[in-house]
Amino acid sequence: MKSAFIVVEGLEGAGKSTVIKGLTAYLQSQNKQVVNVREPGGTPMAEAIRDCVKQNWDENVTQQTELLLMYAARSQLVENVIKPALNNQQFVIGDRHDLSTVAYQGGGRGIALAQLDSLRELTLADFRPDFTLYLDIDPKIGLSRARGRGELDRIELSGLTFFNKARDMYQSQIEKMPNAVTIDASNSPDTVKQDAISALGDWLNKATNRV
Ligand code: TMP
């Protein structure tokens, strides 16, 4: 397999960063070139959108604004970084992608999934990740880990009910997705990392055998 778009998803405090470091080292040990990206972000303009989305404003940030900014940032990243890297035979590891929008804006904020479908079609057409790892964590645990890292940003301040709804959406979507695996992220960071590496290894083996 010459290139693939691998996405790591999960609520705050699920341990995505540690997992991504592990997956990157694992792929590099197999002589694969890896490009790491995060959403929202990953290009100069998309990083500016990220700051905009995360900061606390002295005005109400509407759900519509939040949603559109996520897709604006995604469009910049997919067209300017992810697709070129895949065309260049590189492996891209994404810290979040479209499933985050389904979970947070769809599940958490309650925006109808049919409306997300239109924006996805407009922004991504049929572009999808090749493999998704979902790190499942109880938001109570995840948020306390996130709090331990410092001040919570605007989205992290959305409250437990919001995060429980986002988690429910993640779980129900993942069940329906081929090429997606759930990892229990309540375990120690090292166990979660190892579980993620073996899930990726299994998928790569199967995918390579299919080619
Ligand atoms: P993080 O990368 O530190 O997790 O920060 C990204 C924040 O943005 C996080 O709270 C999840 C949120 N988010 C959405 O609400 N929708 C999205 O589509 C994406 C990519 C992120």
Side-chain angles (χ1 to χ4, degrees), residues 178-192:
N179 295 332
V181 167
T182 298
I183 306 278
D184 180 355
S186 63
N187 291 321
S188 73
D190 205 46
T191 304
V192 175

mmCIF file with all atom_site columns, all heavy atoms in Angstrom, residues 178-192:
data_model
loop_
_atom_site.group_PDB
_atom_site.id
_atom_site.type_symbol
_atom_site.label_atom_id
_atom_site.label_alt_id
_atom_site.label_comp_id
_atom_site.label_asym_id
_atom_site.label_entity_id
_atom_site.label_seq_id
_atom_site.pdbx_PDB_ins_code
_atom_site.Cartn_x
_atom_site.Cartn_y
_atom_site.Cartn_z
_atom_site.occupancy
_atom_site.B_iso_or_equiv
_atom_site.pdbx_formal_charge
_atom_site.auth_seq_id
_atom_site.auth_comp_id
_atom_site.auth_asym_id
_atom_site.auth_atom_id
_atom_site.pdbx_PDB_model_num
ATOM 1   N N   . PRO A 1 178 ? -17.509 0.922  7.693  1.00 0.00 ? 178 PRO A N   1
ATOM 2   C CA  . PRO A 1 178 ? -16.502 -0.090 7.404  1.00 0.00 ? 178 PRO A CA  1
ATOM 3   C C   . PRO A 1 178 ? -15.131 0.572  7.618  1.00 0.00 ? 178 PRO A C   1
ATOM 4   O O   . PRO A 1 178 ? -15.038 1.797  7.589  1.00 0.00 ? 178 PRO A O   1
ATOM 5   C CB  . PRO A 1 178 ? -16.728 -0.407 5.915  1.00 0.00 ? 178 PRO A CB  1
ATOM 6   C CG  . PRO A 1 178 ? -17.406 0.793  5.360  1.00 0.00 ? 178 PRO A CG  1
ATOM 7   C CD  . PRO A 1 178 ? -18.104 1.503  6.481  1.00 0.00 ? 178 PRO A CD  1
ATOM 8   N N   . ASN A 1 179 ? -14.094 -0.208 7.850  1.00 0.00 ? 179 ASN A N   1
ATOM 9   C CA  . ASN A 1 179 ? -12.750 0.378  8.036  1.00 0.00 ? 179 ASN A CA  1
ATOM 10  C C   . ASN A 1 179 ? -12.675 1.352  9.205  1.00 0.00 ? 179 ASN A C   1
ATOM 11  O O   . ASN A 1 179 ? -12.025 2.395  9.117  1.00 0.00 ? 179 ASN A O   1
ATOM 12  C CB  . ASN A 1 179 ? -12.261 1.080  6.773  1.00 0.00 ? 179 ASN A CB  1
ATOM 13  C CG  . ASN A 1 179 ? -12.052 0.095  5.653  1.00 0.00 ? 179 ASN A CG  1
ATOM 14  O OD1 . ASN A 1 179 ? -11.770 -1.076 5.908  1.00 0.00 ? 179 ASN A OD1 1
ATOM 15  N ND2 . ASN A 1 179 ? -12.223 0.547  4.424  1.00 0.00 ? 179 ASN A ND2 1
ATOM 16  N N   . ALA A 1 180 ? -13.373 1.021  10.293 1.00 0.00 ? 180 ALA A N   1
ATOM 17  C CA  . ALA A 1 180 ? -13.266 1.834  11.509 1.00 0.00 ? 180 ALA A CA  1
ATOM 18  C C   . ALA A 1 180 ? -13.193 0.895  12.712 1.00 0.00 ? 180 ALA A C   1
ATOM 19  O O   . ALA A 1 180 ? -13.859 -0.138 12.738 1.00 0.00 ? 180 ALA A O   1
ATOM 20  C CB  . ALA A 1 180 ? -14.460 2.761  11.642 1.00 0.00 ? 180 ALA A CB  1
ATOM 21  N N   . VAL A 1 181 ? -12.375 1.266  13.691 1.00 0.00 ? 181 VAL A N   1
ATOM 22  C CA  . VAL A 1 181 ? -12.188 0.424  14.873 1.00 0.00 ? 181 VAL A CA  1
ATOM 23  C C   . VAL A 1 181 ? -12.331 1.301  16.115 1.00 0.00 ? 181 VAL A C   1
ATOM 24  O O   . VAL A 1 181 ? -11.849 2.437  16.138 1.00 0.00 ? 181 VAL A O   1
ATOM 25  C CB  . VAL A 1 181 ? -10.784 -0.233 14.840 1.00 0.00 ? 181 VAL A CB  1
ATOM 26  C CG1 . VAL A 1 181 ? -10.425 -0.859 16.176 1.00 0.00 ? 181 VAL A CG1 1
ATOM 27  C CG2 . VAL A 1 181 ? -10.699 -1.282 13.733 1.00 0.00 ? 181 VAL A CG2 1
ATOM 28  N N   . THR A 1 182 ? -12.992 0.773  17.149 1.00 0.00 ? 182 THR A N   1
ATOM 29  C CA  . THR A 1 182 ? -13.093 1.486  18.426 1.00 0.00 ? 182 THR A CA  1
ATOM 30  C C   . THR A 1 182 ? -12.036 0.965  19.387 1.00 0.00 ? 182 THR A C   1
ATOM 31  O O   . THR A 1 182 ? -11.856 -0.244 19.521 1.00 0.00 ? 182 THR A O   1
ATOM 32  C CB  . THR A 1 182 ? -14.493 1.267  19.047 1.00 0.00 ? 182 THR A CB  1
ATOM 33  O OG1 . THR A 1 182 ? -15.470 1.805  18.167 1.00 0.00 ? 182 THR A OG1 1
ATOM 34  C CG2 . THR A 1 182 ? -14.609 1.957  20.406 1.00 0.00 ? 182 THR A CG2 1
ATOM 35  N N   . ILE A 1 183 ? -11.347 1.897  20.037 1.00 0.00 ? 183 ILE A N   1
ATOM 36  C CA  . ILE A 1 183 ? -10.339 1.539  21.036 1.00 0.00 ? 183 ILE A CA  1
ATOM 37  C C   . ILE A 1 183 ? -10.835 2.058  22.388 1.00 0.00 ? 183 ILE A C   1
ATOM 38  O O   . ILE A 1 183 ? -11.280 3.214  22.467 1.00 0.00 ? 183 ILE A O   1
ATOM 39  C CB  . ILE A 1 183 ? -8.978  2.238  20.716 1.00 0.00 ? 183 ILE A CB  1
ATOM 40  C CG1 . ILE A 1 183 ? -8.516  1.949  19.292 1.00 0.00 ? 183 ILE A CG1 1
ATOM 41  C CG2 . ILE A 1 183 ? -7.930  1.928  21.766 1.00 0.00 ? 183 ILE A CG2 1
ATOM 42  C CD1 . ILE A 1 183 ? -7.817  0.655  19.073 1.00 0.00 ? 183 ILE A CD1 1
ATOM 43  N N   . ASP A 1 184 ? -10.739 1.221  23.425 1.00 0.00 ? 184 ASP A N   1
ATOM 44  C CA  . ASP A 1 184 ? -11.135 1.662  24.767 1.00 0.00 ? 184 ASP A CA  1
ATOM 45  C C   . ASP A 1 184 ? -10.061 2.605  25.314 1.00 0.00 ? 184 ASP A C   1
ATOM 46  O O   . ASP A 1 184 ? -8.971  2.171  25.669 1.00 0.00 ? 184 ASP A O   1
ATOM 47  C CB  . ASP A 1 184 ? -11.297 0.429  25.662 1.00 0.00 ? 184 ASP A CB  1
ATOM 48  C CG  . ASP A 1 184 ? -11.704 0.812  27.074 1.00 0.00 ? 184 ASP A CG  1
ATOM 49  O OD1 . ASP A 1 184 ? -11.765 2.025  27.381 1.00 0.00 ? 184 ASP A OD1 1
ATOM 50  O OD2 . ASP A 1 184 ? -11.954 -0.110 27.882 1.00 0.00 ? 184 ASP A OD2 1
ATOM 51  N N   . ALA A 1 185 ? -10.405 3.893  25.378 1.00 0.00 ? 185 ALA A N   1
ATOM 52  C CA  . ALA A 1 185 ? -9.400  4.897  25.762 1.00 0.00 ? 185 ALA A CA  1
ATOM 53  C C   . ALA A 1 185 ? -9.369  5.151  27.263 1.00 0.00 ? 185 ALA A C   1
ATOM 54  O O   . ALA A 1 185 ? -8.685  6.064  27.724 1.00 0.00 ? 185 ALA A O   1
ATOM 55  C CB  . ALA A 1 185 ? -9.668  6.201  25.008 1.00 0.00 ? 185 ALA A CB  1
ATOM 56  N N   . SER A 1 186 ? -10.103 4.308  28.044 1.00 0.00 ? 186 SER A N   1
ATOM 57  C CA  . SER A 1 186 ? -10.026 4.492  29.497 1.00 0.00 ? 186 SER A CA  1
ATOM 58  C C   . SER A 1 186 ? -8.795  3.784  30.059 1.00 0.00 ? 186 SER A C   1
ATOM 59  O O   . SER A 1 186 ? -8.423  3.979  31.211 1.00 0.00 ? 186 SER A O   1
ATOM 60  C CB  . SER A 1 186 ? -11.300 3.980  30.174 1.00 0.00 ? 186 SER A CB  1
ATOM 61  O OG  . SER A 1 186 ? -11.424 2.594  29.963 1.00 0.00 ? 186 SER A OG  1
ATOM 62  N N   . ASN A 1 187 ? -8.160  2.945  29.253 1.00 0.00 ? 187 ASN A N   1
ATOM 63  C CA  . ASN A 1 187 ? -6.931  2.259  29.696 1.00 0.00 ? 187 ASN A CA  1
ATOM 64  C C   . ASN A 1 187 ? -5.754  3.232  29.775 1.00 0.00 ? 187 ASN A C   1
ATOM 65  O O   . ASN A 1 187 ? -5.889  4.401  29.401 1.00 0.00 ? 187 ASN A O   1
ATOM 66  C CB  . ASN A 1 187 ? -6.604  1.123  28.720 1.00 0.00 ? 187 ASN A CB  1
ATOM 67  C CG  . ASN A 1 187 ? -7.609  -0.003 28.820 1.00 0.00 ? 187 ASN A CG  1
ATOM 68  O OD1 . ASN A 1 187 ? -8.060  -0.351 29.906 1.00 0.00 ? 187 ASN A OD1 1
ATOM 69  N ND2 . ASN A 1 187 ? -8.012  -0.554 27.676 1.00 0.00 ? 187 ASN A ND2 1
ATOM 70  N N   . SER A 1 188 ? -4.596  2.743  30.202 1.00 0.00 ? 188 SER A N   1
ATOM 71  C CA  . SER A 1 188 ? -3.416  3.614  30.328 1.00 0.00 ? 188 SER A CA  1
ATOM 72  C C   . SER A 1 188 ? -2.997  4.094  28.932 1.00 0.00 ? 188 SER A C   1
ATOM 73  O O   . SER A 1 188 ? -3.246  3.403  27.934 1.00 0.00 ? 188 SER A O   1
ATOM 74  C CB  . SER A 1 188 ? -2.260  2.844  30.959 1.00 0.00 ? 188 SER A CB  1
ATOM 75  O OG  . SER A 1 188 ? -1.745  1.937  30.007 1.00 0.00 ? 188 SER A OG  1
ATOM 76  N N   . PRO A 1 189 ? -2.350  5.269  28.852 1.00 0.00 ? 189 PRO A N   1
ATOM 77  C CA  . PRO A 1 189 ? -1.945  5.802  27.541 1.00 0.00 ? 189 PRO A CA  1
ATOM 78  C C   . PRO A 1 189 ? -1.124  4.802  26.736 1.00 0.00 ? 189 PRO A C   1
ATOM 79  O O   . PRO A 1 189 ? -1.308  4.679  25.516 1.00 0.00 ? 189 PRO A O   1
ATOM 80  C CB  . PRO A 1 189 ? -1.093  7.030  27.901 1.00 0.00 ? 189 PRO A CB  1
ATOM 81  C CG  . PRO A 1 189 ? -1.566  7.437  29.251 1.00 0.00 ? 189 PRO A CG  1
ATOM 82  C CD  . PRO A 1 189 ? -2.027  6.188  29.949 1.00 0.00 ? 189 PRO A CD  1
ATOM 83  N N   . ASP A 1 190 ? -0.273  4.035  27.426 1.00 0.00 ? 190 ASP A N   1
ATOM 84  C CA  . ASP A 1 190 ? 0.560   3.098  26.687 1.00 0.00 ? 190 ASP A CA  1
ATOM 85  C C   . ASP A 1 190 ? -0.261  1.948  26.092 1.00 0.00 ? 190 ASP A C   1
ATOM 86  O O   . ASP A 1 190 ? -0.046  1.542  24.942 1.00 0.00 ? 190 ASP A O   1
ATOM 87  C CB  . ASP A 1 190 ? 1.666   2.562  27.607 1.00 0.00 ? 190 ASP A CB  1
ATOM 88  C CG  . ASP A 1 190 ? 2.856   2.103  26.785 1.00 0.00 ? 190 ASP A CG  1
ATOM 89  O OD1 . ASP A 1 190 ? 3.250   2.868  25.877 1.00 0.00 ? 190 ASP A OD1 1
ATOM 90  O OD2 . ASP A 1 190 ? 3.329   0.974  27.009 1.00 0.00 ? 190 ASP A OD2 1
ATOM 91  N N   . THR A 1 191 ? -1.221  1.457  26.873 1.00 0.00 ? 191 THR A N   1
ATOM 92  C CA  . THR A 1 191 ? -2.095  0.383  26.371 1.00 0.00 ? 191 THR A CA  1
ATOM 93  C C   . THR A 1 191 ? -2.914  0.885  25.185 1.00 0.00 ? 191 THR A C   1
ATOM 94  O O   . THR A 1 191 ? -3.054  0.196  24.159 1.00 0.00 ? 191 THR A O   1
ATOM 95  C CB  . THR A 1 191 ? -3.048  -0.095 27.496 1.00 0.00 ? 191 THR A CB  1
ATOM 96  O OG1 . THR A 1 191 ? -2.250  -0.484 28.598 1.00 0.00 ? 191 THR A OG1 1
ATOM 97  C CG2 . THR A 1 191 ? -3.929  -1.239 27.060 1.00 0.00 ? 191 THR A CG2 1
ATOM 98  N N   . VAL A 1 192 ? -3.450  2.101  25.315 1.00 0.00 ? 192 VAL A N   1
ATOM 99  C CA  . VAL A 1 192 ? -4.272  2.668  24.231 1.00 0.00 ? 192 VAL A CA  1
ATOM 100 C C   . VAL A 1 192 ? -3.416  2.794  22.965 1.00 0.00 ? 192 VAL A C   1
ATOM 101 O O   . VAL A 1 192 ? -3.845  2.437  21.864 1.00 0.00 ? 192 VAL A O   1
ATOM 102 C CB  . VAL A 1 192 ? -4.858  4.044  24.655 1.00 0.00 ? 192 VAL A CB  1
ATOM 103 C CG1 . VAL A 1 192 ? -5.614  4.691  23.505 1.00 0.00 ? 192 VAL A CG1 1
ATOM 104 C CG2 . VAL A 1 192 ? -5.767  3.885  25.863 1.00 0.00 ? 192 VAL A CG2 1
#
